[in-house]
Amino acid sequence: MESSNFLESKISNSDSVQYYLKRLNSTLLRDKAVVAEATEESISKFCSLEEISQLRILRNISKYIQILSVEPEPERENWHRKELEIARLKKAAKAFGLRFLDDEIFNLIDGEDVIEIYDQRQIQIYRNVKFCKICSYSLLDLAVHSWAELYEKPAFVAAAAGAKVQEVMTADKTLSYDIEPFIQREVLIYAKTRRTFLVKPKYLSPLVSEMNGRIAGFVTTFSAEVLADGDESNKFSII
């Protein structure tokens, strides 16, 4: 992984973030994930950020590349997708100075789940390859825009999910979302294409800081199916 000085020397213009995004896209291709190129608008927004925010984004991309370096063990023919997901999830938590409070989440993960880690500010700091495979956005789009700018989902889902997040941030065990499947749509106005998904929330599990043992984030899992792409997405109503 690059040193802090290396990163700091490269945050003056868009070349830096494009360099890291190209490396990331090449890494994701090993998992047959073809992701979108960053839009000019997102690159421009990145360049307008304060230097500390630029550096945080570059460091997170660099960490993500390292996390994805965990690959199936060649000598193990029965290596299952679930084991790979768990290995990468554990490496991600460690990379961000977090540890699991309840190992039950590992028993509940499915190899086809979308898996994310959010920090205590509810900013996504890790997403698995399945997320990247179904998402139309580049990682930079995700990094510089709020979730409200990126996605539309039913109001009742936003309220119920928000309540669950508040609950898991004070919990000591893995929780079930208990939310029915719903339709979610990508809505970033200058995205080259947008998709609509059927989403089934599954579980949340608290993560604690390795430094002080306090809850500092959470893991979330869900299943997601692409229902439509491009103009077809407008045929689905968000209720």
Side-chain angles (χ1 to χ4, degrees):
M1 187 178 297
E2 290 84 355
S3 69
S4 175
N5 288 339
F6 177 84
L7 291 172
E8 289 170 359
S9 69
K10 289 180 168 287
I11 62 175
S12 59
N13 55 53
S14 64
D15 291 343
S16 55
V17 72
Q18 292 190 69
Y19 163 78
Y20 279 101
L21 289 172
K22 286 179 181 178
R23 284 189 55 199
L24 174 60
N25 291 356
S26 296
T27 303
L28 285 166
L29 275 175
R30 296 206 301 261
D31 278 87
K32 300 180 180 179
V34 179
V35 296
E37 297 291 330
T39 60
E40 289 298 323
E41 291 83 355
S42 288
I43 293 172
S44 177
K45 188 164 185 177
F46 169 84
C47 292
S48 71
L49 296 174
E50 292 183 0
E51 201 166 273
I52 190 171
S53 296
Q54 292 182 347
L55 185 57
R56 174 181 54 80
I57 290 171
L58 292 177
R59 282 176 170 159
N60 284 358
I61 296 174
S62 182
K63 286 180 181 179
Y64 193 34
I65 293 168
Q66 295 298 316
I67 292 163
L68 294 178
S69 68
V70 176
E71 297 182 344
E73 296 178 11
E75 69 275 11
R76 292 181 55 188
E77 295 181 359
N78 64 339
W79 178 284
H80 192 272
R81 184 75 203 181
K82 175 175 178 175
E83 292 177 281
L84 179 57
E85 292 291 356
I86 291 172
R88 285 177 171 170
L89 182 59
K90 288 179 176 179
K91 186 170 183 177
K94 185 175 181 61
F96 288 100
L98 303 169
R99 61 179 174 83
F100 297 88
L101 197 55
D102 179 17
D103 288 349
E104 177 61 18
I105 187 65
F106 302 132
N107 297 324
L108 298 171
I109 285 174
D110 185 286
E112 294 303 313
D113 282 345
V114 173
I115 304 171
E116 304 166 296
I117 294 178
Y118 289 85
D119 66 15
Q120 58 191 354
R121 298 168 297 171
Q122 297 182 34
I123 294 175
Q124 186 196 62
I125 56 175
Y126 171 76
R127 77 294 305 153
N128 68 342
V129 172
K130 177 62 180 289
F131 180 102
C132 297
K133 284 182 176 180
I134 66 173
C135 179
S136 292
Y137 300 135
S138 75
L139 184 60
L140 189 62
D141 296 332
L142 297 171
V144 300
H145 294 285
S146 70
W147 240 227
E149 293 175 293
L150 295 168
Y151 295 103
E152 180 185 15
K153 58 187 174 185
F156 80 90
V157 171
K164 276 294 182 181
V165 168
Q166 294 301 315
E167 184 179 353
V168 79
M169 292 301 288
T170 58
D172 60 359
K173 63 180 180 179
T174 300
L175 306 177
S176 173
Y177 266 108
D178 297 323
I179 298 174
E180 292 299 312
F182 61 90
I183 291 175
Q184 177 169 294
R185 184 161 51 217
E186 296 174 336
V187 293
L188 188 63
I189 56 174
Y190 49 73
K192 294 178 181 178
T193 186
R194 292 183 286 273
R195 290 174 177 165
T196 296
F197 311 94
L198 179 64
V199 177
K200 174 62 177 78
K202 291 187 174 183
Y203 302 100
L204 311 87
S205 192
L207 295 167
V208 298
S209 168
E210 289 187 328
M211 291 184 62
N212 58 31
R214 297 175 182 172
I215 293 179
F218 61 95
V219 176
T220 181
T221 69
F222 58 92
S223 63
E225 173 189 353
V226 178
L227 296 178
D229 203 340
D231 292 340
E232 292 295 311
S233 290
N234 296 325
K235 295 181 179 180
F236 291 86
S237 299
I238 306 294
I239 301 173

